[in-house]
Structure formats: C-alpha cells, structure tokens
Amino acid sequence: MYKKKMQEKLDKLKADDKLTILAIETSCDETAVAIIKGKKVLSNVISSQIDIHKRYGGVVPEIASRNHASAIKNVVQMALDEAKISLEKIDMIAVTYGSGLVGALLVGVSFAKGLSYAINKPLVPINHIRGHIAANYLQYDNVEFPCVVAIVSGGHTVLGIASSYTDLKIVGESIDDACGECIDKVSRVLGLGYPGGPNLEKLAQKGKINIKFPIAKIEDNFYAFSFSGLKTSAINYINNNKKKKGFKKEDVAASFQAAVFEPIIDKAIQLAVKNNIKEIFLSGGVSANKYLRELMTKEAKQHNIKINFPDVKLSTDNALMCALEARCLVKDKKARAAGFDLDAIAYLDVDNIYDTCNN
Ligand code: KG4
Ligand code: ZN
C-alpha cells in the first residue's frame, strides 16, 4: 500500500527544471549527499573516511559502517545548508542500495527510508555503477545514442553499449579482479598506501615504461577483461627485484599503469569502431587518472572517436552521480519507489537494476 502510494507520487514527477532530488551514497568509505534542482547542482557534499582507513592499508568494512552512521545526519544537514533549501522542497530521495559493502550501504538505505517516510516523498533505489555512468550526463547533455560506456572503478571494469540514458547492454566485464582493485593491491606492495590509484599516478609520472607486464586475452570474449594475472606478475616482479641494484619503483609504476590501461583503451575503442559509434563515455574512480584520459583521448582521435569523462571530482564516489541517475530514471519513466523492505545488495548486475530493486 505504502509503496503503491509512493509510486503514484513518483509517476507524477517530471524531469523538468524544478525537480529537486536529494541523493545519499554510502557504498564504501565516502558518506556523500547531493542535491540537484533540474540539472543545477545545489550541493555535493563528500565526507571521506580515507584518513581513517589509510592506517589499515584499505577499507575496514565495520569501521566504514560505524563512521557512516555517525556522519550521515550531519552530511545531510550540510547538503541542505549548502543548497539553501529545507526538506519540504525535496521532491524525491535517491539512495545507493548496491553494489558495495553491505554494512555501509545499509546505513544510507536505512537513513533514506526514514527520511522518505518523514517527509512523505518517494525513495528511489540506485545502482552505484549506473550512477558512475550518469555522472557523465551532467556536462554532456543531448547525448547521441548509441554510445560506448566504459566504467573503471575499484569494484568494476565494464564495457557496454548504451542505447538511451537508462538502457545499457553489457558487452564485457572483468572475469576476476576489477582494474581499480588490481591497482590498489600493486600500489600497496609498492608501499604507496591507500588508496593506491592517485599515488601510483603521481609516481608513474616520474618513471619510464620499460618493463613488459602480461596483458591477458580472453578466448571467448574479446571485450572481457582479466587483471589477476597482471596483478600477480607485478607483485612477483616487485618482490623479486626490489633489493636489486637499479630497481626503480617509478618505472614499475609507469609500466604497470600502462599495462592496466592498454586493454581498457584498446577494447573500448574497438567496440566503438566495430559498431560505428563516435563517442565513448568513460567513468568510475580509475577514470580520474590523467594519463588514462590523455592517452585514450589521443588514441580515440585517430579513429575519429571522442572520449567524454566527468569532472575528476565526479569520477570517484559521490552522491551527485546518484541524483543524476535518479533524474535519468524519472525522465525515462523507469523510476521505482522503494518500500520499507528495500535491502542493500553486495553485488548488483549492471544491466539488471529494475528487477532487483523491485523488492
Ligand atoms: O569509483 P570508485 O571511487 O569506487 C568504487 O566504486 O570502487 O573507484 C575507486 C578506485 C580505487 O581503486 C582507486 O585507487 C582508483 O579508483 N583511483 C584511481 C585514481 N583515483 C582513484 N586509479 C588511478 N588513478 C587515479 N588518479
Ligand atoms: Zn564507485
């Protein structure tokens, strides 16, 4: 009954200039809340726990959940203050319900349910990875579909073809580690701390690409990825050579980084070329990497293909991307109102959001 009532409210909303969405994202180690009105960003608050998890060399799930629980109320308040609006002006709430750390997600999901009930406005569940894709739609409006999307993050490496803002066909994914996971592990062995990506990028700028690391080929799907062999090979290389004379950390960083990016760039461009597509939308935390952005742009240009990526701040986790995804769902009439039974899901398929959130 409650869900039906909320769905009716949701169905009346239009993705116009007035639609005001408050989005909550707590899937990993960022407590984030954003508010948009139309496509105008009223606030985008990110409270990062990086300094807390740094000392453990990675995210400790229980600590992440506890910190979300103590931060969330204040982060919501900060987002409202920055947006200079009150809760009555919010038309709908969006919350990430997967993929991510279940304990961390549950904090955002539970808070969002309570908030939605208190202000009597619908709550829309958001697939985190879909959010990463939607982050690009802030600056790139009127997209000409179909286009290629490439999501490169700590949990996913996905290639797909989008035929609208909300329709996506997955063409290839990683069969083992995600590219960001591989980057973080190797960075840790290099002694670069957590999170590895930004530190690896800095170190790689000083190095030469002079070590050949293996790049996996997957027999039955050209567009699939595998990073676990590369990870093992890089870790073994570091352990076997770190005490030897002439070992240069920066060369390992540059060579390893290039080996991670080569299949991403190559496969995304091939997918566009084979399907006569002229635009690729790159997103996810790893897409914050300047070297990846520049190299991919340069290589794509040779095929007359344009690479789009979000502002660096929107590449890594944030709630604005979830608000943008919620807006896309309303626009395409695919937004589903959640009930009190909405659960957090550790792994959500990227191409199957609407069924799983219909719980
Ligand atoms: O999207 P994201 O913030 O969280 C997930 O959804 O996983 O991605 C996090 C990943 C981490 O592996 C992090 O090391 C990587 O993105 N990352 C980078 C850079 N900034 C973040 N990787 C390479 N270069 C960067 N500048
Ligand atoms: Zn993410």
Side-chain angles (χ1 to χ4, degrees):
M1 202 47 206
Y2 176 79
K3 207 189 290 188
K4 196 166 163 241
K5 198 179 100 194
M6 286 298 155
Q7 187 66 51
E8 281 164 13
K9 275 191 179 222
L10 194 53
D11 291 341
K12 285 191 191 123
L13 297 177
K14 285 194 195 81
D16 57 15
D17 289 350
K18 292 197 196 81
L19 181 68
T20 307
I21 304 173
L22 182 149
I24 298 175
E25 151 69 48
T26 61
S27 66
C28 192
D29 59 348
E30 264 101 22
T31 316
V33 179
I35 301 173
I36 55 171
K37 183 174 183 182
K39 284 190 79 180
K40 198 165 163 222
V41 182
L42 300 187
S43 59
N44 181 26
V45 181
I46 302 172
S47 166
S48 173
Q49 301 176 11
I50 283 181
D51 287 340
I52 298 166
H53 297 283
K54 227 181 205 167
R55 65 186 92 130
Y56 305 103
V59 178
V60 182
E62 190 184 327
I63 295 177
S65 310
R66 287 175 189 273
N67 280 285
H68 285 311
S70 58
I72 184 115
K73 192 250 165 198
N74 288 343
V75 179
V76 169
Q77 193 58 54
M78 278 166 77
L80 287 165
D81 291 348
E82 204 178 300
K84 295 192 179 63
I85 60 166
S86 59
L87 276 172
E88 297 87 73
K89 295 278 186 321
I90 304 294
D91 296 312
M92 61 184 269
I93 295 166
V95 67
T96 305
Y97 78 114
S99 305
L101 302 170
V102 170
L105 288 164
L106 277 174
V107 176
V109 166
S110 303
F111 193 92
K113 279 192 224 175
L115 193 58
S116 148
Y117 184 67
I119 65 170
N120 198 22
K121 296 287 166 64
L123 171 66
V124 173
I126 299 294
N127 180 325
H128 180 84
I129 296 302
R130 294 278 181 158
H132 274 304
I133 300 170
N136 253 315
Y137 300 146
L138 182 65
Q139 34 169 349
Y140 302 104
D141 217 348
N142 300 321
V143 175
E144 271 190 40
F145 293 102
C147 59
V148 166
V149 294
I151 309 126
V152 286
S153 75
H156 290 79
T157 315
V158 182
L159 269 185
I161 296 180
S163 52
S164 77
Y165 288 103
T166 52
D167 288 299
L168 176 70
K169 186 171 165 281
I170 302 301
V171 180
E173 288 187 78
S174 176
I175 58 166
D176 41 55
D177 295 349
C179 57
E181 194 181 344
C182 173
I183 287 174
D184 289 343
K185 295 256 167 68
V186 172
S187 303
R188 195 171 163 173
V189 179
L190 272 176
L192 300 179
Y194 175 83
N199 294 334
L200 184 83
E201 176 174 15
K202 250 183 253 154
L203 184 64
Q205 279 162 5
K206 297 183 212 146
K208 289 196 188 80
I209 302 172
N210 54 12
I211 306 158
K212 191 113 190 79
F213 288 119
I215 294 167
K217 282 201 180 82
I218 292 103
E219 290 277 305
D220 52 353
N221 181 5
F222 171 78
Y223 299 109
F225 300 92
S226 166
F227 292 103
S228 71
L230 169 61
K231 177 184 73 184
T232 310
S233 157
I235 292 174
N236 287 344
Y237 181 90
I238 298 162
N239 289 335
N240 293 338
N241 293 283
K242 64 184 173 198
K243 299 236 166 72
K244 290 188 187 158
K245 223 176 127 206
F247 175 77
K248 285 196 176 140
K249 250 187 183 187
E250 56 273 29
D251 289 352
V252 179
S255 308
F256 164 71
Q257 197 183 246
V260 175
F261 296 156
E262 189 182 309
I264 296 168
I265 295 173
D266 183 36
K267 289 169 200 230
I269 293 176
Q270 285 299 320
L271 183 60
V273 168
K274 294 259 158 60
N275 290 279
N276 203 17
I277 289 173
K278 293 289 164 217
E279 270 184 286
I280 299 175
F281 287 81
L282 178 70
S283 61
V286 177
S287 76
N289 190 290
K290 229 174 119 202
Y291 173 74
L292 171 64
R293 289 174 173 223
E294 284 171 8
L295 188 63
M296 194 158 175
T297 303
K298 202 171 104 197
E299 298 205 358
K301 214 171 171 185
Q302 291 171 12
H303 299 272
N304 232 343
I305 293 166
K306 186 170 171 262
I307 308 287
N308 302 321
F309 24 69
D311 187 82
V312 170
K313 209 180 161 210
L314 288 191
S315 289
T316 45
D317 291 349
N318 63 87
L320 179 54
M321 66 188 202
C322 304
L324 292 164
E325 168 65 0
R327 190 181 155 79
C328 289
L329 292 172
V330 171
K331 195 171 171 178
D332 285 2
K333 307 216 173 311
K334 285 181 182 165
R336 292 261 181 96
F340 293 111
D341 53 352
L342 177 69
D343 202 358
I345 298 182
Y347 193 87
L348 265 183
D349 280 340
V350 186
D351 54 351
N352 182 17
I353 51 165
Y354 312 114
D355 295 339
T356 36
C357 74
N358 191 22
N359 54 8

